[in-house]
Amino acid sequence: AQTVTQSQPEMSVQEAETVTLSCTYDTSESDYYLFWYKQPPSRQMILVIRQEAYKQQNATENRFSVNFQKAAKSFSLKISDSQLGDAAMYFCAYRSTGANSKLTFGKGITLSVRP
Amino acid sequence: SAVISQKPSRDICQRGTSLTIQCQVDSQVTMMFWYRQQPGQSLTLIATANQGSEATYESGFVIDKFPISRPNLTFSTLTVSNMSPEDSSIYLCSVEGHPSGANVLTFGAGSRLTVL
């Protein structure tokens, strides 16, 4: 079974600075999808970024980018120019490409942004 | 308008009662997923609901406790039966592929249940 590990329960960043959130996963599959979701206090789960495992190029979405290291099974999220609105729980998630595959989440990390 | 609408947003329930959560999507979708998020925890998949067939439950979840209906391609319900304080959680509905594209799950805002 696939597992997703987020070993840092909390992190803090100064506004306008850069922060990196770590995630590792375990799988025997060669093709899969990886995601970062954000959950602010409103509890709405919001997709931040996704990465297809077959793509070597790291995904980017404005201030958000990932460092995808397939051999190391590592998938970290970098947030540049941090804003107060970035404060939230961030979940790393894995999904295989098979039919009816489920999304497996890590435990999440609470990010606080200091003004 | 919201892509996924969940009702109720929150509720306080008495031990031993049952509550049904509704999930309405503004577009037809094949697969709908129900997740549970216990306080301070991550999301755990309860079951997958496809229209026209019985829901598929994950290990640790059973139909008697969490019956699910999926009468059409835009609607599903999850019932939490015979509730106990351990059922206090956020329950989230999600769908695949709409509107964020294939293989991406979009979530409703969740239903926060507190069982006294």
Side-chain angles (χ1 to χ4, degrees), chain A residues 37 39 43-44 50 95 106, chain B residues 9 37 42 96 102 105 107 109:
Chain A
Y37 280 88
Q39 187 180 40
R43 74 175 182 261
Q44 176 77 56
R50 70 168 171 174
R95 192 179 193 208
Chain B
S9 174
Q37 186 178 22
S42 185
E96 179 186 13
L105 266 60
F107 289 82

Side-chain angles (χ1 to χ4, degrees), chain B residues 16 30 87 94 103:
Chain B
T30 302
D87 295 319
S94 69
N103 299 303

Side-chain angles (χ1 to χ4, degrees), chain B residues 40-69:
Chain B
Q41 302 297 313
S42 185
L43 281 74
T44 301
L45 181 65
I46 298 172
T48 302
N50 291 335
Q51 194 269 336
S53 62
E54 285 204 2
T56 302
Y57 289 82
E58 295 296 306
S59 176
F61 297 96
V62 295
I63 188 171
D64 289 347
K65 176 66 175 178
F66 297 101
I68 288 171
S69 77

Side-chain angles (χ1 to χ4, degrees), chain A residues 40-109:
Chain A
S42 68
R43 74 175 182 261
Q44 176 77 56
M45 291 288 287
I46 302 167
L47 177 69
V48 175
I49 200 166
R50 70 168 171 174
Q51 175 81 42
E52 290 89 348
Y54 67 86
K55 291 185 178 179
Q56 291 185 339
Q57 186 173 7
N58 289 324
T60 62
E61 288 287 342
N62 301 312
R63 298 183 295 108
F64 300 88
S65 61
V66 298
N67 183 4
F68 173 47
Q69 300 290 327
K70 191 172 183 179
K73 296 179 182 176
S74 171
F75 183 62
S76 60
L77 174 70
K78 185 172 80 172
I79 305 174
S80 304
D81 185 25
S82 297
Q83 301 175 359
L84 295 178
D86 294 333
M89 279 206 74
Y90 287 81
F91 293 95
C92 179
Y94 171 101
R95 192 179 193 208
S96 68
T97 58
N100 299 333
S101 60
K102 66 177 184 179
L103 193 62
T104 300
F105 288 89
K107 289 187 175 181
I109 178 172

